[in-house]
Amino acid sequence: MARIRARFTAAEVTRAFKGAQNAGVQARVEIDLDGKIVVMSAPAESAPLPPLETAMEDTNPWDEAIG
């Protein structure tokens, strides 16, 4: 029995999400039954998320309290 080809890859989903995030758009990624990747943006009045690299550089305030 032949294997069925995936309709999307994890790299494609990651690329779509990171692209929206780096553009400063608060978004979520949805995949429909056909494998089409859709980036859903949040309403304009909500604050944009920081780019992924900036969010990962932030320190946790508990790091100083514990260690």
Side-chain angles (χ1 to χ4, degrees), residues 6-50:
R7 293 187 174 133
F8 61 92
T9 65
E12 292 170 336
V13 175
T14 302
R15 191 177 308 119
F17 182 72
K18 284 186 177 180
Q21 195 172 28
N22 287 337
V25 177
Q26 190 172 14
R28 72 173 191 250
V29 176
E30 293 183 359
I31 304 166
D32 69 6
L33 295 175
D34 295 329
K36 181 173 69 172
I37 299 171
V38 180
V39 178
M40 305 292 292
S41 63
E45 62 271 1
S46 64
L49 294 174

